[in-house]
Amino acid sequence: MTNPNLSNGNATFSHKEWWVERWLELLDSYRFKKRLERARIYAREGKILSIEFKKAKVFAKVQGSDINPYQVSLSLVPFTDEDWHYIIESLAEKAIFSAELLAGKMPENIEEVFIKNGLSVFPFTLSDINACCSCPDKANPCKHIGAVYYQLAEYFSEDPFTIFKLRGRTKEQILDALRQLRLQKLNQQKVLKLTKNKNSLTEITETSNHQAEEFKTLDLTKFWQYKGGLDSSLIVIVPPSDDQTVLNILGRITLTYEEARIAQQYLQQVYKNISQYAVMEALNRKI
């Protein structure tokens, strides 16, 4: 598709965006400065009649000294599908990358994503760019190719995704892949949360069922029985607050005085022994 945003002769190519400067640094490294100056003039004067992207390749028509415009083609080595898979995964890890790209900005540290995957979004030298022109000039880049370089800088300034297009992915493809990956991760988080909630519910249900089974097997006739030993440190046994015993509460024994006295003494001794035995039994001690 042909991009109509071509230079109308007023372009200055004085960009502040760091990604555009990175692209122009390649041209500045070219030793034939006069050739580059003519290329810049060609771009400024609107000599580029059209630029068309076909997949990862650029095709341009540049009006030169001949009647018919020269045909220029330019491309970078596109990344493989596997490369882009890892790049998209790395981009999705930080939402700031997607946000800035959508805002028309190239994140300053985005190159780290490509370096992490053993790649470089920008070519290192002009020789990394595959370019050819139908003009008779054997030099590469000629002024027609150079003009296309400068015009692409304008494209990069307007839309950073143009750089990625040269590596094999359009803006729509990258953003769609990012959305799908982020949606996939959100779904995974939802499934994980549902699984966790389901496990918690299952655990609660199993506990409730276990308690219900225990209640069914509970013998209410033995509810108050306790077979375990008591901690003696938790038991405090004190004598009655007065001298009254069960014998005193029961009152006088209906016998003769002497018989009642003898019986009372005997029962008091028995009561004393039983009380002592009860205390020792409570403390789990042998008499």
Side-chain angles (χ1 to χ4, degrees):
M1 182 177 66
T2 302
N3 193 319
N5 298 324
L6 297 174
S7 174
N8 57 7
N10 297 321
T12 60
F13 304 105
S14 56
H15 303 281
K16 294 182 179 180
E17 298 91 348
W18 69 266
W19 60 92
V20 178
E21 291 180 353
R22 283 291 306 276
W23 177 261
L24 293 178
E25 283 175 4
L26 289 173
L27 297 178
D28 293 338
S29 66
Y30 189 55
R31 60 178 179 170
F32 298 104
K33 303 301 181 183
K34 290 184 178 180
R35 188 186 300 273
L36 290 180
E37 182 59 31
R38 288 197 296 270
R40 191 179 294 110
I41 292 173
Y42 263 52
R44 286 175 178 171
E45 292 181 348
K47 297 290 187 179
I48 302 174
L49 304 182
S50 67
I51 290 183
E52 184 178 4
F53 284 85
K54 291 184 178 179
K55 295 185 178 180
K57 201 167 186 177
V58 176
F59 294 91
K61 293 181 180 180
V62 182
Q63 186 64 59
S65 56
D66 196 8
I67 297 177
N68 297 319
Y70 295 114
Q71 307 294 322
V72 175
S73 64
L74 184 151
S75 65
L76 302 178
V77 177
F79 299 145
T80 65
D81 291 341
E82 184 179 9
D83 290 335
W84 274 111
H85 173 75
Y86 290 116
I87 291 170
I88 295 298
E89 280 193 338
S90 300
L91 289 173
E93 290 176 358
K94 293 185 178 180
I96 187 63
F97 287 152
S98 302
E100 291 192 357
L101 287 170
L102 284 171
K105 294 177 59 179
M106 181 77 77
E108 291 189 9
N109 54 347
I110 195 172
E111 286 186 285
E112 296 177 3
V113 173
F114 293 86
I115 294 173
K116 176 183 176 182
N117 293 280
L119 303 167
S120 175
V121 64
F122 296 98
F124 292 106
T125 63
L126 286 176
S127 60
D128 294 329
I129 304 175
N130 301 315
C132 63
C133 180
S134 61
C135 73
D137 192 346
K138 301 300 181 182
N140 195 338
C142 64
K143 55 182 175 290
H144 312 105
I145 294 175
V148 175
Y149 284 163
Y150 282 113
Q151 190 63 56
L152 284 176
E154 289 287 307
Y155 281 43
F156 297 158
S157 178
E158 295 172 2
D159 183 6
F161 282 92
T162 307
I163 299 175
F164 301 135
K165 187 182 293 187
L166 292 174
R167 291 298 191 181
R169 284 294 185 275
T170 64
K171 177 179 181 178
E172 292 74 18
Q173 288 175 317
I174 293 174
L175 295 182
D176 286 345
L178 283 172
R179 292 190 191 100
Q180 290 178 10
L181 188 58
R182 293 179 66 181
L183 181 61
Q184 180 181 350
K185 289 186 176 181
L186 286 175
N187 290 334
Q188 289 175 349
Q189 292 175 356
K190 288 181 180 179
V191 171
L192 183 62
K193 185 176 181 180
L194 289 174
T195 302
K196 185 177 180 180
N197 292 340
K198 183 179 179 181
N199 292 338
S200 299
L201 181 60
T202 301
E203 184 178 349
I204 293 172
T205 303
E206 290 177 351
T207 302
S208 299
N209 292 338
H210 179 68
Q211 292 175 344
E213 289 297 324
E214 286 185 341
F215 182 77
K216 288 180 181 179
T217 58
L218 181 64
D219 187 354
L220 296 179
T221 61
K222 299 180 180 179
F223 182 78
W224 295 107
Q225 293 184 6
Y226 181 72
K227 296 181 179 180
L230 294 176
D231 188 350
S232 59
S233 63
L234 301 178
I235 301 174
V236 179
I237 300 176
V238 296
S241 58
D242 52 29
D243 294 334
Q244 294 292 320
T245 65
V246 175
L247 296 177
N248 300 119
I249 295 173
L250 291 176
R252 182 177 178 278
I253 301 175
T254 56
L255 295 173
T256 63
Y257 175 79
E258 185 62 24
E259 291 175 343
R261 184 182 64 79
I262 295 173
Q264 187 79 7
Q265 289 179 348
Y266 174 76
L267 291 176
Q268 284 179 346
Q269 185 62 42
V270 172
Y271 182 83
K272 181 179 179 181
N273 293 339
I274 292 175
S275 298
Q276 184 179 5
Y277 179 83
V279 171
M280 300 304 292
E281 184 69 18
L283 297 176
N284 290 325
R285 297 177 182 176
K286 294 182 179 180
I287 299 176

